[in-house]
Amino acid sequence: MKISTRGRYGLYFMLALARDYGEQRRSVKSVATERGISDLYLEQIVASLKKEDLVKSTRGAYGGYELNHPPEEITVGQIFKSVEENIVAVESDEKDGNNERFLWGRIRDAISDVLDHTTLKDMVEYDGEGLDDYMFHI
């Protein structure tokens, strides 16, 4: 499974809003500058997040974007589903046997479980302890 730049940038944007939840709104430009990414590209991604009712915007001097729900109610899976065209860990092939389909299904289910049960709040509160256990060294 590979998450596209749309998915990563959408997650970056949502994490920025989650960190500031209840305190301030953020502009697309401020998050894009902070992350060193194109604000025009990020604006397209934010439109998808807004369409899925994950963010809301306010116009004016103190305007900007904010989460439309508390961080503990928004999952990474919701974010990826709103900005990614297709999230498939492994697709079965007609040549695959039952044992292979069993494995691909377990991988798909495990990834879905992580995405659907990891919230923005979980990510904001994570302090990095044990990070080496999750990193793959290639």
Side-chain angles (χ1 to χ4, degrees):
M1 174 179 178
K2 185 171 183 174
I3 301 297
S4 73
T5 56
R6 283 185 64 83
R8 288 197 320 271
Y9 292 0
L11 182 59
Y12 296 156
F13 185 77
M14 295 296 285
L15 282 170
L17 299 186
R19 285 185 197 101
D20 293 332
Y21 184 72
E23 296 176 18
Q24 68 176 352
R25 296 178 185 95
R26 296 288 305 270
S27 70
V28 170
K29 186 164 184 68
S30 73
V31 176
T33 300
E34 186 177 280
R35 294 299 306 201
I37 59 180
S38 164
D39 57 326
L40 296 176
Y41 186 46
L42 185 57
E43 188 69 57
Q44 294 171 8
I45 296 166
V46 171
S48 296
L49 295 167
K50 189 173 179 182
K51 181 179 175 188
E52 293 298 319
D53 199 35
L54 294 177
V55 299
K56 60 184 174 183
S57 63
T58 305
R59 294 185 179 268
Y62 298 102
Y65 287 91
E66 60 188 316
L67 297 179
N68 206 25
H69 309 280
E72 63 271 16
E73 294 178 14
I74 300 174
T75 67
V76 174
Q78 289 174 298
I79 297 165
F80 286 162
K81 288 172 188 162
S82 71
V83 300
E84 292 278 355
E85 288 183 25
N86 189 11
I87 302 176
V88 176
V90 179
E91 291 187 37
S92 290
D93 185 292
E94 67 272 355
K95 296 176 186 173
D96 288 343
N98 287 338
N99 52 357
E100 293 158 313
R101 280 190 285 247
F102 170 72
L103 177 63
W104 305 149
R106 289 194 66 200
I107 292 170
R108 180 197 60 237
D109 293 348
I111 290 171
S112 292
D113 184 58
V114 169
L115 296 178
D116 292 341
H117 292 96
T118 303
T119 66
L120 287 175
K121 182 179 180 184
D122 295 332
M123 293 190 69
V124 168
E125 290 179 347
Y126 181 70
D127 66 2
E129 187 173 319
L131 183 61
D132 288 339
D133 296 338
Y134 298 103
M135 300 302 288
F136 296 102
H137 302 284
I138 299 173

